[in-house]
Amino acid sequence: MKARPIIFDTDPGIDDATAITIAVRNPELDVKLLSTVGANVEVEKTTLNALKLTEFLGVDIPVARGCGEPLIRKLRPCPEVHGITGMDGYEFPPVTGKPLEKHAVEAMRDVIMNSEEKITLVVIGTHTNIAILFRMYPEVKDRIEEIVTMGGGLTGGNTNSTAEFNIYNDPHAAAMVFNSGVPVTMLGLNVTNEARLYREDAEAIDASGRAGHMIYSLLNHYRDAFLDGGLRIHDSVAVAYILRPDLFKTEMLPIEIALEGPAAGTTVCDFRAMQRGEKEANVKVVTEVDPEGYKQWIIDEFRRED
Ligand code: BDR
Ligand code: CA
């Protein structure tokens, strides 16, 4: 079977690191590029972290540095969640490589236009790079299979009571992407909050080998590590969805992103307007996950040989 070509647009980030590590090690996926954005921490740090990961994993995947600031709003990073480096908790060797000379938007364009097969964009940070990509190079849209994004939700936020972090940081960019005409699958907090790992699961990841130990060490520094309620590794759920759609349920729903006011960054789903025929569904929304299946899946992924 031919591996599915993907680009990660990412802000590593401890849960980003988990998602990337799983994807890079899975032969069903062909990771063509890591394009970085500033969000969890500043873009200099997320870019360095992406390089730390590719070098640790021993893979030749280019890293391209993207936007450091949202389109309009001011960035609100969260080092309290991921640590001051964005990936606190593991001593990576000093990085020897460099990001590409070109900007992430240019790098994405080149990968997308030069790929024989359509690319899947896995967006696990803010949507700033993708909004600019679509504005500068609209021709890429036809060459994208799907955008799978971790962001938003149907049941409340994690940055404030209604907005999720990735959408909150750049709602204008997210709105451009959601309304771009490219098929978007939104995997939000309503699902990632249900996909939890517990201490024994994390210990199984630790025992699985070198990659598992690295991720376990980072997870120990992740803000809600090992609270009794379980650990939410949001971005890794997006990779689970791509590889194991059988673990999820989806529904086409009308999603609008609030751009102004105290609820800015909220993904508003107007079910009633859809039922009344006043709004059309525009986004495939992941609505359910099989939590047990997800837990087993993630442990099995780390049990692949290093
Ligand atoms: C999202 O916000 C970031 O902190 C995580 O990396 C994830 O992409 C969860 O809301
Ligand atoms: Ca992220």
Side-chain angles (χ1 to χ4, degrees), residues 3 23 36 49-50 66 69 78 80 82 99 109 113 119 130 135-136 157-158 170 189 204 212 219 249 285 301-302 305:
T36 63
N49 290 344
E69 287 292 328
C78 58
E80 69 279 10
H82 301 267
R109 180 205 162 269
M113 296 311 287
I119 297 277
I130 314 300
R135 187 50 67 85
M136 286 181 70
N158 59 358
D170 200 342
L189 297 174
L219 291 177
K249 285 196 179 139
V285 179
E301 286 294 328
F302 279 101
E305 244 176 79

Side-chain angles (χ1 to χ4, degrees), residues 3 32 45-46 59 88 124 143 161 203 206 208 249 260 300:
K32 299 273 190 196
K45 293 180 182 172
T46 61
V59 288
D88 277 12
I124 54 176
R143 304 289 314 143
S161 61
E203 282 169 359
D206 185 27
S208 66
K249 285 196 179 139
E260 305 289 342
D300 290 345

Side-chain angles (χ1 to χ4, degrees), residues 11 15-16 40 124-125 166 235:
D11 59 336
D15 56 336
D16 302 72
N40 282 326
I124 54 176
N166 288 337
D235 292 337

Side-chain angles (χ1 to χ4, degrees), residues 252-264:
M252 284 302 294
L253 291 171
I255 299 290
E256 216 171 316
I257 297 173
L259 300 177
E260 305 289 342

Side-chain angles (χ1 to χ4, degrees), residues 39-40 69-70 74-80 158-160 165 168-169:
N40 282 326
E69 287 292 328
K74 193 129 190 57
L75 184 68
R76 179 195 172 284
C78 58
E80 69 279 10
N158 59 358
T159 297
N160 57 37
F165 180 84
Y168 175 92
N169 262 293

